[in-house]
Amino acid sequence: MHPASEAQTRIAVLRYAGVLLISTSFVLCMPLLVKAERDAPKPGKTGSAAPATDRKKWRKKLVEARDLVRQARNGSQVHVDGAVIRARLDLSYAVIEQQISLTHCDFQDEPNFSYSTLKRHLVLDGSTFRKGARLESATVDLNASLKATTFLGGVAVFKDLQVHGLLNMRDAQFADQVNVMAERMHLDKGADFSNAVFRANVDLSEVEDHSDLFFVGAKFQREFSLTTAKIGGSLFLMDAQFDGSAQFPGMEVAYNVRAERTVFRNRANFSESQIGSFLDLSGARFEFTDRPANFTRATVAAGGFFDRVEFIGGGKFDGAHFNADASFDEAVFERPVSFDRAHFDQSAHFEHCVFKKKVSFHETSFGSLDLSRNGRAGGHDQFGGQVDLQGCTYDRAQVQWQSLLRMSDGRPRLAGVDKQPYLQLQKTYEAAGNDVAANQVLLQWHRVKRQDIFRTSKLHWLIDCVPWLTTDYGVAPGRLLEMSALLLLFGMLIFSRPGAVLSTISNSPKEKAVIASGIGLRHWDALAVSLHQFLPLEVPIGSEWTPAMDPVTLRFVHRKKELILLRMRPSTCATLLKVCGYILVPLEILVLNGLLRPGT
């Protein structure tokens, strides 16, 4: 055979062999490809896989409720996961010896555990309740776990439920038609509702919990009530959000209440609550504007922390009692706040607190009242309105008296003209050795009183002006000497005028010489006459002269120009000196003996 023909023959054989091999492989693999295509998920969109939840629902089996009831009542353990429970699961009044575990189930009807007794655990984690659930007066000897459950309709009834272990309802979801009714629930080892979402009302009034109660990160869109609850541990509300009213009146907490960064968008009521240790609301927000946050007659055995709290609607702490320190550092009260008749046994810290409207400390008692040192807080005046300090008492105080007692326009800041608030602050400054500030506080009260008297009686106002002008209400007793010196100098000028005095010895040569010369007494002699008339007792100095009845004139001459300053009878001047002497000289004697002090 020719070599070229032999090569062509070999190529043809190899080509036919390759085609035969490919055809045979395709025929053998075809069944596998068909099966893979049949079992593949049908995507909702091009290139996307079917959701895992759809596959899960597809796999859920259907379980009859009566079969589960029969197992439980016969003492068998019930354990079902991922099933659809058809019809009503009624285990009311039953005594169930074994554990009930129905996790990730879909309850088509309302399960009923009312008045039943479960000797073991009750586990319903991840289940969905389309028509609610009933556990009224049920008893669970161990734990009850309803983590991540979803309630879509009906009601969730936990009235008088007793759980001797832990009730765990973390991440539970309650639809907007599902009210939670849990009055008088009894919990031995606490309950956890952290991150739960309640879209309807939640009633936990009169709950008795012997351990901790958790609502960390929970959301309440309607009314929440923990009225008169008794909690043997602590209450945790950190990062919770209350869109409806939050009611805590009368609750008793053995240890702490922690509510850092909690948001209250509606009414918040902590009145008459009793907290055995700390109350911490640092960073919380009270956003309701129509009513103040209510802490009336609340009792906090240890510290109260309201740091960085925003009270949009103001606050009400009337009758509250803090046995230890209370801190309002960087807190802001947008509207009026009252602490009437409250008791702070130790320190109340308001150094960086802002009161934008009226604040009332009526009959409030403090161990130590610490306000801003310079009258400013957070870039604002610490007080934006009136302050009521009537009956307020404290052992120590840190305050700038000007910001506390006077507004920026000079008007008095304190309500009323009661002297007690001023005296209390004055005594505090005196105890600290700050006599200057103590005197300024006293003068501020006299200023307020004088303005009030002027509006009611001009006569009493004139009488009150006497101590004001003479000694500045005892604050400046040296003013007595100044006034006495001015009066004596004035008398000297009058009595030194020609014809201003007459000799007590008629037609004496000295008198004739004075009259004939046309000049008055020498200044030293005139000063002696002035002193003789001023003193309330008789002295020999200046006694040889008596004031004349004819008027004399005081003139001022400057560059040959004459200006008449005053025309007065010397006898009138003597009368003025005598009256002033009877007033000023006794006061000066009191000053010298230390009997005249500020405020007397």
Side-chain angles (χ1 to χ4, degrees):
M1 180 179 294
H2 193 274
S5 300
E6 183 179 1
Q8 292 176 355
T9 302
R10 289 178 179 177
I11 292 173
V13 170
L14 292 173
R15 182 181 298 168
Y16 288 126
V19 171
L20 180 62
L21 180 62
I22 293 172
S23 300
T24 304
S25 301
F26 181 79
V27 170
L28 293 175
C29 294
M30 180 61 70
L32 296 176
L33 294 174
V34 172
K35 185 176 184 302
E37 181 180 4
R38 184 176 65 249
D39 294 341
K42 300 301 184 291
K45 295 182 180 179
T46 303
S48 62
T53 54
D54 293 344
R55 296 198 302 272
K56 186 176 180 180
K57 289 182 179 179
W58 181 261
R59 292 196 301 269
K60 276 188 177 180
K61 58 186 176 181
L62 186 64
V63 176
E64 296 292 337
R66 60 176 178 270
D67 296 335
L68 301 177
V69 172
R70 187 182 307 112
Q71 293 179 42
R73 291 184 182 271
N74 289 338
S76 301
Q77 183 175 355
V78 177
H79 182 82
V80 177
D81 182 71
V84 176
I85 311 298
R86 189 167 66 178
R88 191 182 191 198
L89 180 67
D90 190 355
L91 289 171
S92 58
Y93 296 96
V95 178
I96 302 170
E97 299 290 341
Q98 299 297 325
Q99 177 172 316
I100 300 292
S101 180
L102 300 170
T103 57
H104 304 100
C105 291
D106 188 343
F107 289 86
Q108 300 292 299
D109 208 336
E110 176 190 62
N112 187 4
F113 294 89
S114 298
Y115 300 96
S116 62
T117 301
L118 292 89
K119 299 293 187 179
R120 307 292 294 173
H121 299 290
L122 173 63
V123 183
L124 301 172
D125 294 346
S127 295
T128 300
F129 302 91
R130 298 186 178 276
K131 296 184 179 180
R134 289 187 175 274
L135 288 90
E136 181 177 357
S137 297
T139 301
V140 181
D141 286 348
L142 298 179
N143 298 330
S145 182
L146 288 85
K147 291 188 297 184
T149 51
T150 302
F151 293 79
L152 300 177
V155 292
V157 182
F158 300 94
K159 287 182 179 179
D160 300 298
L161 169 66
Q162 295 190 41
V163 180
H164 298 307
L166 171 68
L167 173 62
N168 191 344
M169 296 192 71
R170 290 180 65 93
D171 302 308
Q173 304 278 326
F174 296 84
D176 54 4
Q177 299 298 323
V178 183
N179 292 326
V180 177
M181 304 167 64
E183 305 96 300
R184 300 176 301 279
M185 188 164 57
H186 184 101
L187 307 166
D188 282 356
K189 295 186 178 179
D192 190 354
F193 293 89
S194 297
N195 300 315
V197 178
F198 301 89
R199 294 184 174 87
N201 296 333
V202 181
D203 190 352
L204 290 166
S205 57
E206 300 182 53
V207 163
E208 187 172 347
D209 183 356
H210 293 170
S211 186
D212 298 330
L213 184 56
F214 291 86
F215 291 99
V216 179
K219 293 180 173 58
F220 302 88
Q221 296 184 0
R222 299 286 181 86
E223 182 175 337
F224 172 80
S225 177
L226 201 63
T227 305
T228 63
K230 295 182 179 180
I231 302 172
S234 297
L235 173 62
F236 296 91
L237 299 169
M238 292 90 76
D239 299 298
Q241 179 177 309
F242 295 88
D243 294 339
S245 65
Q247 301 294 323
F248 301 90
M251 72 171 181
E252 299 178 14
V253 182
Y255 294 102
N256 305 321
V257 173
R258 296 189 56 187
E260 299 99 304
R261 301 172 301 281
T262 303
V263 178
F264 300 89
R265 294 205 169 103
N266 208 301
R267 289 178 296 171
N269 186 3
F270 290 83
S271 63
E272 299 183 358
S273 57
Q274 299 182 34
I275 301 169
S277 187
F278 295 99
L279 169 62
D280 194 347
L281 281 159
S282 300
R285 285 177 56 86
F286 294 88
E287 299 181 353
F288 194 56
T289 58
D290 293 344
R291 292 189 182 180
N294 190 356
F295 293 87
T296 303
R297 293 183 296 279
T299 301
V300 181
F305 300 96
F306 299 87
D307 301 336
R308 303 177 304 283
V309 177
E310 294 186 53
F311 295 89
I312 308 299
K316 193 171 184 180
F317 294 82
D318 298 347
H321 191 176
F322 293 85
N323 296 96
D325 290 355
S327 176
F328 292 82
D329 190 36
E330 297 184 28
V332 178
F333 291 92
E334 297 283 348
R335 296 199 175 187
V337 55
S338 63
F339 295 87
D340 297 348
R341 296 172 298 281
H343 296 272
F344 296 85
D345 291 350
Q346 296 185 24
S347 297
H349 297 278
F350 296 99
E351 293 97 326
H352 305 286
C353 180
V354 178
F355 303 95
K356 294 190 176 181
K357 301 294 183 181
K358 180 180 179 181
V359 55
S360 177
F361 294 110
H362 187 79
E363 296 184 8
T364 308
S365 65
F366 298 93
S368 176
L369 174 59
D370 295 333
L371 299 170
S372 173
R373 293 178 181 271
N374 59 4
R376 304 278 292 175
H380 303 85
D381 290 338
Q382 181 167 42
F383 298 102
Q386 277 195 328
V387 178
D388 187 351
L389 288 175
Q390 295 187 42
C392 179
T393 59
Y394 39 84
D395 298 329
R396 299 173 306 279
Q398 171 189 286
V399 60
Q400 186 195 50
W401 71 265
Q402 293 92 335
S403 66
L404 180 63
L405 303 183
R406 286 205 301 247
M407 294 188 179
S408 56
D409 58 2
R411 290 182 297 133
R413 189 182 298 280
L414 297 192
V417 293
D418 188 4
K419 190 177 181 180
Q420 183 272 334
Y422 298 90
L423 288 180
Q424 177 68 48
L425 186 57
Q426 180 195 14
K427 292 177 181 178
T428 303
Y429 278 124
E430 288 178 344
N434 192 347
D435 293 335
V436 174
N439 291 338
Q440 294 297 322
V441 170
L442 178 65
L443 293 178
Q444 175 63 21
W445 175 73
H446 281 290
R447 188 179 297 112
V448 172
K449 181 190 69 171
R450 193 167 61 248
Q451 293 172 356
D452 182 70
I453 293 175
F454 184 79
R455 290 190 295 266
T456 56
S457 173
K458 301 300 186 290
L459 176 61
H460 288 88
W461 177 80
L462 289 172
I463 296 173
D464 188 71
C465 286
V466 174
W468 174 35
L469 296 174
T470 54
T471 64
D472 203 9
Y473 302 103
V475 169
R479 187 180 293 182
L480 292 171
L481 298 176
E482 296 172 1
M483 293 187 65
S484 299
L486 290 174
L487 288 170
L488 291 174
L489 289 174
F490 177 71
M492 180 191 70
L493 293 174
I494 294 295
F495 296 136
S496 64
R497 304 311 300 163
V501 293
L502 299 174
S503 175
T504 56
I505 304 174
S506 180
N507 297 321
S508 66
K510 195 172 183 179
E511 178 183 8
K512 293 178 180 179
V514 170
I515 296 175
S517 64
I519 61 174
L521 294 177
R522 291 179 305 172
H523 286 97
W524 286 112
D525 292 333
L527 181 60
V529 176
S530 180
L531 180 61
H532 180 82
Q533 299 298 325
F534 178 77
L535 293 177
L537 67 161
E538 288 293 330
V539 292
I541 185 172
S543 59
E544 68 270 24
W545 299 101
T546 182
M549 298 297 294
D550 295 331
V552 296
T553 303
L554 284 179
R555 292 180 175 87
F556 177 73
V557 180
H558 180 65
R559 294 181 181 179
K560 299 182 180 180
K561 292 183 179 180
E562 186 179 89
L563 177 63
I564 297 177
L565 298 178
L566 178 67
R567 186 172 177 82
M568 172 183 270
R569 295 175 185 272
S571 58
T572 303
C573 178
T575 303
L576 176 63
L577 289 173
K578 186 63 69 176
V579 172
C580 293
Y582 271 102
I583 296 174
L584 297 178
V585 171
L587 291 176
E588 291 170 357
I589 294 174
L590 293 175
V591 170
L592 292 175
N593 287 276
L595 300 177
L596 184 61
R597 301 183 307 276
T600 59

